[in-house]
Amino acid sequence: MSFEELPHTADIKIRARAATLGELFSDVLAALMQVMYGIDRSGGISREITIEAPDSESLLTDILSEVLFVSEVDGLVFQKAEIRIDGSRLFARFDGEPFDPARHSGGTEVKGISYSGMSVKKDENGYMVEIVFDV
Amino acid sequence: MLDGVLQKGTYEWEVPIGFVPGMRVPGRFFLSEHLESILESGAIHQLAHVATMPGIVKNSLAMPDIHLGYGFPIGGVAAFSLDEGVISPGGVGFDINCGVRLFTTPVPERSVAGRRELIEDLFKTIPTGVGGKSQSKLSPQALDAMMTKGARWAVEQGAGVERDLDRCEENGYMKQANISAVSSHAKQRGYSQGGTLGSGNHFLEIQIVREIFDSKAANAFGISKGQVCCMIHCGSRGLGHQSCTDHLKIMEGAMRKYKISLADRQLACAPLDSPEGRDYFGAMAASANYAWANRQLITHAARRLFARTFRIEYEEMPLVYDVAHNVAKMEEHTVDGKKQTVCVHRKGATRAFGPGSPDIPPGLGEIGQPVIIPGSMGTSSYILCGTQGAMDRTFGSTCHGAGRIMSRTSAKRQLSGKDVTARLLQKGIIVRAHSENAIADEAPEVYKPSDEVVQVVHSAGISRLVARLSPLGVIKG
């Protein structure tokens, strides 16, 4: 897992790097969960989500937005995600647990996923993205 | 100052056409010399990019609390003509109708100051923070009514008094709400969050009026020195966040459909006179109404607690005013000597209508609209009033708050929640939050000094100082 938080005045900016696009997206999802619920997260309950979008940036924004929705409405905190991307189609399997106020209340609610200068880049080392969470 | 930006007055600056390609009108912003030292160049570029949008009228504006936002800068104001103009979710933000309200109490300072159990009771009564849910879930019918009637719905449920509605911007609801434009996802997020505060910079704060600058206006607003007040800052919760997310996606398609090409993808927009534009406006208004009802429900819970604790009557806690910080509205303004209805986007900016405006509460017509500017956790908040200067120059708008200057990463590195709490306690301010991180994140030093921001809008004449309030206790997400 590889992501880091970069300085951003108003919101939260994350940089992630990974060998594959699926791993990159998994890392960004882990970052989102960490920002919202902290590091003490475990598994046990699984969820599957499939989405379609025309490009990598839209796929990433859409899956993150969908996770914000599922997590809030179903009261679930995800520990990790396994993501497969096939062209314009993304399949995700999440592993998580019910929201526990005693362990998961310390984070910051993310209001939305920003397109702010976001682009998924590929070079000889793999994939990299910088993304802003609106908080 | 940045190259190419021109000084037009002591506190007023112009970003001329040509600063970035495609600008249709100049940009204008308000800033003091000291605030200039913490200005982000990216925020001025955002201001300039807004000036490239179709149908923008007169100026792309920013208030002195300007900083980098999503598409529009925070502190940004822009008006669009109804025939050629556009509407943009980025000009409103994810937290639709994030706003602030203030009610006064007859409780003396000595009964409240240093009283930790009051803050603990408020923290237990009002759900806060990530995952904070209301005790009872709204029915689909109740949610629809909440989105349609806003604060009026809450008052009809017994959570307030009729006078509260007179003291809300728009009387607590926008009549253009279209609940069929609100997605099922957004509605599902709305069922369990009525009356919840949220996290981040949202708070409920007990304050005391320390200083009166304009006694005539303070009198009219019902404010006096030494008065204990309660300030509530929150928005439309997950329902509003989801509405923004859903319609941003629709706008991306609309940009292609209407052949609108802009430098920044975050400025996604659609013509006001298009199905996509109308749908967003209807969903945004419904979300704004949810936010007004939400603040009314929180007010009700706080008033009941105060009434029980201090044996006072509910009616002894009148609402001073409720303002929206993130919203787009159809308003009539005078542009180049002619009256024109425009769609004014305020993104981290406050409506500040001057004397004589028909939209001012009864009895305040000669004074101007009350404006509430929250400080950060340890710093002063302010009451101002709208002016003719704002009507003439900023589409009746002023600043909305202090504005961040330190990133959350730096705040966490440099500040400990424990130290911040102890330091505030020494100043007589009790802070209660779910985590120390949340306190470090929102420490007073991460914000611009609110005193300086309000001084700029006062000196520039786009609103007038009425009163200053200091915090005594605060609950945060």
Side-chain angles (χ1 to χ4, degrees):
Chain A
M1 194 187 300
S2 162
F3 65 82
E4 59 181 317
E5 195 176 334
L6 305 175
H8 188 284
T9 319
D11 294 310
I12 288 176
K13 189 170 188 178
I14 298 291
R15 180 193 289 151
R17 294 175 198 280
T20 70
L21 203 52
E23 285 169 23
L24 185 81
F25 282 24
S26 302
D27 287 350
V28 178
L29 277 156
L32 179 70
M33 288 290 113
Q34 186 169 316
V35 165
M36 290 185 69
Y37 303 113
I39 51 171
D40 183 5
R41 311 187 311 274
S42 57
I45 298 175
S46 68
R47 275 279 188 287
E48 289 178 358
I49 300 175
T50 306
I51 55 162
E52 279 188 57
D55 52 57
S56 300
E57 287 79 11
S58 301
L59 275 174
L60 182 56
T61 314
D62 289 358
I63 187 67
L64 291 168
S65 298
E66 190 62 16
V67 165
L68 285 179
F69 167 77
V70 171
S71 172
E72 184 177 297
V73 168
D74 293 346
L76 290 174
V77 170
F78 297 116
Q79 180 192 29
K80 59 180 182 193
E82 200 185 296
I83 294 181
R84 255 194 356 256
I85 296 160
D86 183 8
S88 61
R89 202 175 160 83
L90 180 151
F91 172 79
R93 180 182 285 123
F94 296 93
D95 189 23
E97 61 169 326
F99 174 79
D100 173 4
R103 291 162 48 233
H104 300 137
S105 293
T108 305
E109 222 164 42
V110 171
K111 293 174 182 169
I113 310 301
S114 168
Y115 283 113
S116 174
M118 195 236 290
S119 70
V120 176
K121 294 185 178 123
K122 185 176 189 284
D123 61 19
E124 64 275 16
N125 300 316
Y127 291 87
M128 196 276 281
V129 69
E130 288 180 1
I131 185 165
V132 173
F133 301 154
D134 192 293
V135 296
Chain B
M1 186 47 73
L2 296 172
D3 275 354
V5 172
L6 313 169
Q7 186 153 17
K8 289 289 175 180
T10 312
Y11 299 103
E12 199 167 345
W13 302 81
E14 183 178 293
V15 181
I17 291 177
F19 186 82
V20 300
M23 283 172 74
R24 296 164 192 259
V25 295
R28 284 252 163 178
F29 62 97
F30 297 85
L31 213 63
S32 65
E33 211 169 293
H34 175 246
L35 291 174
E36 192 189 318
S37 64
I38 43 178
L39 177 67
E40 300 158 312
S41 62
I44 297 300
H45 278 91
Q46 287 189 327
L47 176 77
H49 281 137
V50 171
T52 68
M53 296 174 79
I56 186 164
V57 175
K58 202 165 143 188
N59 287 127
S60 164
L61 294 152
M63 304 299 122
D65 43 351
I66 179 171
H67 60 92
L68 265 176
Y70 180 97
F72 281 53
I74 313 284
V77 175
F80 295 87
S81 70
L82 298 193
D83 47 354
E84 290 171 15
V86 291
I87 186 163
S88 170
V92 173
F94 281 103
D95 198 359
I96 296 166
N97 190 6
C98 179
V100 64
R101 56 162 56 191
L102 183 83
F103 68 84
T104 63
T105 79
V107 180
E109 181 182 3
R110 63 175 186 282
S111 304
V112 174
R115 194 159 167 181
R116 183 169 293 278
E117 66 269 27
L118 175 66
I119 301 301
E120 287 297 329
D121 285 347
L122 283 165
F123 193 72
K124 270 184 234 149
T125 306
I126 295 156
T128 61
V130 182
K133 290 196 168 161
S134 34
Q135 278 153 359
S136 55
K137 206 171 163 178
L138 292 160
S139 68
Q141 293 77 11
L143 182 70
D144 285 356
M146 190 170 168
M147 290 191 289
T148 310
K149 292 160 110 180
R152 175 163 289 287
W153 168 82
V155 169
E156 284 172 3
Q157 303 302 303
V161 292
E162 193 67 24
R163 185 192 173 279
D164 292 341
L165 304 174
D166 291 340
R167 291 301 185 113
C168 288
E169 185 172 332
E170 297 291 308
N171 298 111
Y173 80 103
M174 289 177 73
K175 56 183 182 303
Q176 302 97 332
N178 176 7
I179 55 174
S180 64
V182 179
S183 71
S184 141
H185 262 36
K187 287 178 185 168
Q188 284 183 67
R189 293 178 73 172
Y191 290 129
S192 302
Q193 291 188 331
T196 65
L197 201 58
S199 73
N201 62 358
H202 293 165
F203 64 76
L204 179 149
E205 193 164 275
I206 309 297
Q207 305 176 339
I208 181 155
V209 180
R210 288 283 184 221
E211 210 172 341
I212 300 283
F213 305 104
D214 181 331
S215 50
K216 189 181 170 197
N219 237 347
F221 293 174
I223 299 274
S224 57
K225 196 171 170 181
Q227 205 171 29
V228 170
C229 301
C230 179
M231 185 176 278
I232 294 157
H233 177 208
C234 66
S236 51
R237 315 288 294 111
L239 181 138
H241 310 165
Q242 187 73 47
S243 290
C244 178
T245 299
D246 294 340
H247 286 270
L248 269 171
K249 210 171 154 57
I250 296 168
M251 294 284 176
E252 289 251 311
M255 296 272 280
R256 288 189 291 273
K257 179 173 163 189
Y258 299 106
K259 300 188 172 56
I260 302 171
S261 166
L262 295 168
D264 187 349
R265 188 175 180 183
Q266 294 181 45
L267 293 173
C269 57
L272 276 158
D273 187 19
S274 70
E276 295 85 354
R278 281 190 291 273
D279 276 357
Y280 169 66
F281 189 62
M284 183 218 66
S287 307
N289 291 350
Y290 186 93
W292 269 306
N294 191 36
R295 288 197 287 277
Q296 186 68 36
L297 293 174
I298 294 171
T299 303
H300 181 60
R303 277 174 171 164
R304 283 178 61 175
L305 181 71
F306 266 77
R308 216 167 43 237
T309 308
F310 301 106
R311 302 198 174 158
I312 54 174
E313 297 296 323
Y314 190 96
E315 289 73 19
E316 289 180 274
M317 293 173 275
L319 188 65
V320 174
Y321 206 62
D322 176 309
V323 286
H325 286 161
N326 290 352
V327 80
K329 298 229 291 265
M330 302 300 176
E331 294 173 359
E332 191 176 76
H333 287 277
T334 304
V335 182
D336 299 329
K338 278 189 210 148
K339 285 199 169 164
Q340 185 181 350
T341 300
V342 286
C343 179
V344 182
H345 292 58
R346 294 192 183 92
K347 160 86 168 286
T350 312
R351 196 184 77 172
F353 280 180
S357 160
D359 298 310
I360 290 178
L364 302 183
E366 283 178 31
I367 304 286
Q369 178 212 305
V371 172
I372 302 166
I373 308 296
S376 56
M377 243 168 4
T379 62
S380 297
S381 295
Y382 288 87
I383 309 290
L384 293 86
C385 67
T387 58
Q388 187 57 43
M391 303 313 286
D392 295 340
R393 291 148 74 196
T394 59
F395 296 100
S397 313
T398 190
C399 63
H400 86 306
R404 279 188 85 96
I405 47 171
M406 193 194 284
S407 70
R408 285 174 167 80
T409 40
S410 305
K412 274 182 205 124
R413 209 170 39 239
Q414 294 176 30
L415 305 164
S416 105
K418 219 173 237 169
D419 292 348
V420 174
T421 308
R423 208 154 15 94
L424 289 172
L425 192 59
Q426 274 174 2
K427 289 163 78 180
I429 306 161
I430 300 168
V431 180
R432 182 69 165 94
H434 282 290
S435 74
E436 286 182 4
N437 252 350
I439 296 172
D441 255 10
E442 295 292 322
E445 46 269 66
V446 310
Y447 286 95
K448 285 181 189 178
S450 49
D451 314 274
E452 196 155 343
V453 171
V454 295
Q455 200 57 56
V456 173
V457 294
H458 175 82
S459 302
I462 55 171
S463 41
R464 200 171 74 244
L465 277 166
V466 174
R468 179 175 69 83
L469 300 94
S470 297
L472 296 172
V474 55
I475 67 166
K476 307 235 7 135

